[in-house]
Amino acid sequence: MGRQPCCDRVGLKRGPWTIEEDHKLVHFILNNGIQCWRTIPKLAGVGQTLFLSQARNNSIRQAILEPKASINILNCVTILSKSLSGLQRCGKSCRLRWINYLRPDLKRGALSEAEEDQIIQLHARLGNRWSKIASHFPGRTDNEIKNHWNTRIKKKLKQAGIDPLTHKPIDHEKYQQESDDTIMELNLPIHHHKTETLSRTETYDKSNEAENCAANATDFSLSNNAYHNVLSENFDVDLWSKSCKTMSNCYSPTLSLEAEESIKFSTVSAVTESSSNIEPAEEQDSLQQWMDSIFSCAVNQLEEDLFLLRKYN
DNA sequence: AATATTTTCAACCGCGGACCA
DNA sequence: ATGGTCCGCGGTTGAAAATAT
């Protein structure tokens, strides 16, 4: 009997993660920790549904009293009800996304020369045991190091006349024959290797802007800065909407002014509304949850705006 | 400016090992 | 010992971004 797949793949989403999915996963793990990856997709998002029903009741009540002021909130809640189901991802995919991209202790930005040298030394000792190698670099993932090895370091070594497999100087005449023999000995399929030349982008360094963008996005989604700002008296809506924009720019480079304004309006309304309807003892938690929801909502609106922009441009 | 080519890296796949009943 | 389940690892893929023509 064959091994069963890690999950029922029917109806599960694959491919790149959306902001909303990231948000659900981060929210769940920060609140509940990691227990069983298989159950995380089902549970992520569910914790917010209780608050959703509260919010819906509040907003409906408010809509009756003050229709104009609360219409945006009501819209948000309606959209949220569609988006707050569990994650349509398998546990494996969640684990990968968390480990390689979302976890808060990840170090961002290009690997330094010193790190590269250390990778080369460790690879000479350990071979392609990427997780072992990565364990020497806190904040770096095995995937990142593996990718860096395959795209940069291998080429650099070859350029320097060093065989990346053996870490010994290349004997050019024997090199091709030996690697083919090795492949035959190991009974591995022979692939047609692309001719590898020094990368045209070898000198290209990730711009500070890109790094800041990633760092800002991480800060925003993982350290709950936005919530703390909202809770403090000097909450700056402009600053917050800029954070949203910066984060969204990591995914999509263009945003409409309307979309930006939409975020501001949702935020101000949300803060006003939720503050007036929640008991003081629960205020902070509820407000944080509300901000969670509003953030998802704002992102949904942005994505809808982008979709329309693309459709009609 | 448009198109082609190359590079990067996030995400997927399948396997092996650990653990449990 | 056996079979089922889950997690983690390493190889690979392919879309998006960067660069060249």
Side-chain angles (χ1 to χ4, degrees):
Chain A
M1 187 201 262
R3 186 185 148 81
Q4 285 192 344
C6 73
C7 52
D8 176 12
R9 290 176 199 183
V10 178
L12 290 185
K13 203 181 158 219
R14 295 178 54 197
W17 282 62
T18 63
I19 303 170
E20 192 184 307
E21 287 175 311
D22 280 349
H23 184 58
K24 279 184 190 176
L25 184 58
V26 168
H27 181 94
F28 180 81
I29 292 178
L30 289 182
N31 284 311
N32 302 283
I34 299 162
Q35 290 129 23
C36 172
W37 286 111
R38 201 182 164 93
T39 59
I40 283 179
K42 289 171 190 163
L43 298 175
V46 171
Q48 295 172 16
T49 55
L50 277 179
F51 177 73
L52 178 64
S53 61
Q54 267 184 6
R56 188 190 281 116
N57 289 342
N58 280 343
S59 56
I60 289 171
R61 196 167 53 231
Q62 197 63 30
I64 295 166
L65 298 173
E66 292 178 69
K68 278 187 182 176
S70 57
I71 192 71
N72 202 45
I73 296 276
L74 197 55
N75 285 343
C76 288
V77 171
T78 307
I79 295 167
L80 281 169
S81 63
K82 293 177 194 165
S83 67
L84 288 183
S85 54
L87 274 167
Q88 303 301 306
R89 294 276 182 175
C90 75
K92 221 172 180 179
S93 183
C94 292
R95 176 185 162 272
L96 207 67
R97 184 65 177 169
W98 175 258
I99 287 174
N100 286 339
Y101 197 81
L102 296 175
R103 66 187 162 100
D105 59 328
L106 278 182
K107 209 189 262 184
R108 305 272 173 177
L111 284 124
S112 66
E113 284 282 326
E115 283 176 312
E116 265 189 15
D117 290 344
Q118 205 184 340
I119 290 170
I120 294 167
Q121 284 173 20
L122 287 165
H123 185 272
R125 224 171 66 208
L126 301 166
N128 292 359
R129 292 157 76 189
W130 304 114
S131 66
K132 291 272 179 210
I133 294 174
S135 66
H136 290 78
F137 301 89
R140 301 288 188 187
T141 69
D142 52 353
N143 210 30
E144 186 182 11
I145 289 172
K146 178 175 63 183
N147 282 334
H148 193 76
W149 176 268
N150 286 329
T151 58
R152 305 277 186 96
I153 300 178
K154 253 167 113 173
K155 288 172 191 173
K156 267 193 179 177
L157 288 176
K158 283 184 183 177
Q159 189 74 10
I162 295 167
D163 181 356
L165 286 173
T166 62
H167 293 262
K168 290 174 183 171
I170 297 171
D171 180 339
H172 287 284
E173 285 182 16
K174 286 185 181 176
Y175 178 65
Q176 188 57 47
Q177 186 55 46
E178 277 180 2
S179 38
D180 285 351
D181 287 349
T182 310
I183 288 166
M184 297 295 274
E185 271 173 35
L186 295 170
N187 204 18
L188 297 171
I190 299 177
H191 299 292
H192 294 284
H193 301 285
K194 280 192 233 170
T195 310
E196 293 184 337
T197 53
L198 191 65
S199 162
R200 283 186 312 213
T201 57
E202 211 74 67
T203 54
Y204 172 74
D205 207 1
K206 284 185 177 175
S207 69
N208 288 335
E209 196 183 351
E211 286 182 20
N212 289 340
C213 175
N216 286 343
T218 312
D219 285 346
F220 179 75
S221 60
L222 299 176
S223 66
N224 296 332
N225 277 349
Y227 309 135
H228 297 142
N229 286 341
V230 168
L231 292 172
S232 72
E233 284 182 3
N234 54 356
F235 172 63
D236 183 340
V237 175
D238 283 326
L239 187 65
W240 188 75
S241 67
K242 271 181 196 167
S243 296
C244 283
K245 190 177 175 185
T246 308
M247 186 173 178
S248 300
N249 277 346
C250 295
Y251 293 83
S252 305
T254 54
L255 286 177
S256 67
L257 282 172
E258 289 80 358
E260 208 176 327
E261 287 306 314
S262 165
I263 292 177
K264 288 184 195 173
F265 184 66
S266 303
T267 314
V268 175
S269 308
V271 172
T272 314
E273 291 300 317
S274 58
S275 301
S276 62
N277 286 316
I278 295 168
E279 293 298 316
E282 297 165 2
E283 183 173 338
Q284 180 149 336
D285 281 348
S286 297
L287 191 53
Q288 178 164 322
Q289 286 174 329
W290 175 260
M291 289 308 299
D292 269 339
S293 308
I294 289 301
F295 178 74
S296 286
C297 172
V299 168
N300 278 342
Q301 287 183 341
L302 288 179
E303 283 176 352
E304 279 178 16
D305 287 344
L306 279 171
F307 173 74
L308 290 173
L309 269 177
R310 285 184 186 125
K311 190 175 174 184
Y312 295 113
N313 272 347

